[in-house]
Amino acid sequence: SSPQEVSRAAAAAAAALDGWRRTPVTERVQYIFRLKARLEDRLEDFAAAITAEHGKVLAEARGEVRRAIDNLDMACGAPSLMQGDASEDVSRGIDEVMIRQPVGVCAAIVPFNFPLMIPCWFLPSALVTGNTFVLKASERTPLTAQLLFQELEGLGLPDGVVNLLHGGVDTANALIDHPAVRAVSFVGSTPAARAVYARATSLGKRAQAQGGARNAIVVLPDAALDLAADVTAESAFGNAGQRCLAGGLAIAVGNVGKDFTEAVVDLAQSRVVGPGAAAGSQIGPVISGQSRSRIEDLVTMAHRDGATLAVDGRAAVVDGYGDGFYVRPTVITGVAAEATIAKTEVFGPVLTVLEATDLDQALRMVNGGDFGNMACVFTESGRAARRFRYEAQAGNIGINVGVAQPMPFFPFSGWKDSFFGDLHAHGRHGIEFYTQTKVVVERWQ
């Protein structure tokens, strides 16, 4: 989209704002109810579109559509979620009320890895709270956004309430800078999230910017080993490792290291890599040749620095798809906690295994990095689990689960360099982000 088209979209959203804001919230949610029904009816179409342009396997794409629908469900509760507060007689004969009103024109800049779910983190909550909305789709996965907006267009929304833009950094910056835009939501890498947050807030705008991650999964000696290995492998290799909740860093504690590593090595070697739409495929390609090269370069660097490649997924070739951007599941062992591979977001199907002597050392490893998106522990000890939950410096904590994905009625928390802002995506945080409070003090003689 050209700068002129960005300006047209923002202006259209601004022009539609007053009428949409005055639409009762009970009417606004009806559009989302109808959108939910449309996505339910076309679940397979959306899943196929996601697989076609992203590469993830169909089962994962179906799961993404289901998560998007869950977010629509949450937004339909806006008539209750937007309620304010009131107190009578704060002074004699004086009442005070707090109400929520929309922020204005809201923008979202979204990544490639979940081209339907992540737009649905933001769009439904923004609309039901009375805001108008501009989405800048990922330039790597634009077609799913087109499909979503075809369904939105069929709802009969007033012109300008929702708007779609395409493009890269220049389009995103033009959207952030537009004076009509009052709030910006972003998901992407940490450098980009930091830049978006700084740019938006320097202009006096609200911003929530989800960044990168290096999520650790701690396996204690008393853990159910088969469960821990299975779930860790799925967390690290699922979606080809291209998710901000990928558990790509495993910390084996005490004497569990050897058995755990052998188990995840077997699981990595048995994973079927191939086109996302092909029957039997368990892992699809990564998003681009550039991404594949970056992932393989990180693996090569780790090996050069002394790590062991227990499973080497570089130079993967899938029969009949020699030009595909495939990286097979990779398991790296013998890694020091301070190594580059242990600190860097890989965003590929790579599991790095560290070893710790006890929970104290494991927690130091978890908390020693720059990121704080997710941390998980596998244990049968309630005492150890509570300590981990209490001390781990991450916004999403898993106890005997490998992907601590919050349901849409909870916020998608993130700490440290994994999030810039105060209010996270979806849940009550989402409603609060898209509304501003107004306090009214009144007296009637």
Side-chain angles (χ1 to χ4, degrees), residues 138-439:
S138 169
E139 65 275 23
R140 294 179 176 178
T141 51
L143 302 180
T144 303
Q146 291 284 137
L147 196 60
L148 173 62
F149 269 70
Q150 288 173 14
E151 296 305 318
L152 284 163
E153 190 172 23
L155 298 177
L157 285 160
D159 289 347
V161 170
V162 291
N163 306 270
L164 175 63
L165 295 170
H166 293 294
V169 173
D170 291 343
T171 305
N173 287 339
L175 182 59
I176 295 167
D177 292 346
H178 197 283
V181 173
R182 299 310 310 153
V184 177
S185 303
F186 175 84
V187 180
S189 69
T190 287
R194 184 183 285 111
V196 166
Y197 184 75
R199 191 178 191 111
T201 55
S202 72
L203 296 170
K205 306 182 182 195
R206 288 191 177 192
Q208 50 181 191
Q210 183 83 32
R214 192 64 169 120
N215 305 304
I217 296 177
V218 175
V219 182
L220 295 181
D222 67 340
L225 188 62
D226 289 346
L227 173 68
D230 285 345
V231 173
T232 299
E234 176 55 34
S235 181
F237 306 140
N239 205 41
Q242 299 172 119
R243 54 187 174 196
C244 58
L245 291 179
L249 189 67
I251 302 173
V253 178
N255 59 7
V256 76
K258 180 176 182 293
D259 291 341
F260 174 77
T261 301
E262 289 177 353
V264 293
V265 163
D266 289 343
L267 290 165
Q269 291 173 332
S270 66
R271 282 291 197 276
V272 178
V273 177
S281 289
Q282 295 174 300
I283 299 176
V286 297
I287 192 65
S288 67
Q290 180 184 21
S291 180
R292 178 182 60 187
S293 296
R294 181 187 54 77
I295 295 164
E296 292 184 344
D297 287 348
L298 284 168
V299 174
T300 299
M301 181 189 304
H303 190 218
R304 189 173 60 238
D305 291 343
T308 299
L309 302 186
V311 184
D312 186 355
R314 295 172 298 174
V317 177
V318 174
D319 290 344
Y321 298 91
D323 294 330
F325 306 133
Y326 294 102
V327 180
R328 292 189 181 278
T330 298
V331 179
I332 305 175
T333 62
V335 178
E338 62 275 9
T340 298
I341 193 69
K343 300 284 189 180
T344 303
E345 182 177 39
V346 178
F347 226 63
V350 177
L351 177 65
T352 301
V353 181
L354 280 63
E355 296 193 11
T357 56
D358 53 25
L359 181 56
D360 289 340
Q361 186 181 16
L363 279 166
R364 287 195 297 272
M365 291 177 175
V366 170
N367 296 338
D370 295 331
F371 300 112
N373 211 35
M374 182 189 78
C376 300
V377 65
F378 281 84
T379 180
E380 295 299 302
S381 166
R383 179 181 181 181
R386 186 185 186 280
R387 183 184 171 199
F388 187 87
R389 181 183 72 184
Y390 192 84
E391 296 184 17
Q393 295 172 8
N396 301 292
I397 300 295
I399 309 295
N400 295 319
V401 300
V403 179
Q405 167 78 45
M407 292 299 291
F409 36 86
F410 285 93
F412 192 103
S413 295
W415 288 16
K416 300 163 76 172
D417 280 359
S418 293
F419 181 75
F420 301 90
D422 299 300
L423 295 168
H424 297 84
H426 59 66
R428 190 168 292 276
H429 276 208
I431 299 297
E432 292 179 7
F433 181 79
Y434 288 120
T435 56
Q436 48 195 348
T437 56
K438 179 180 284 185
V439 174

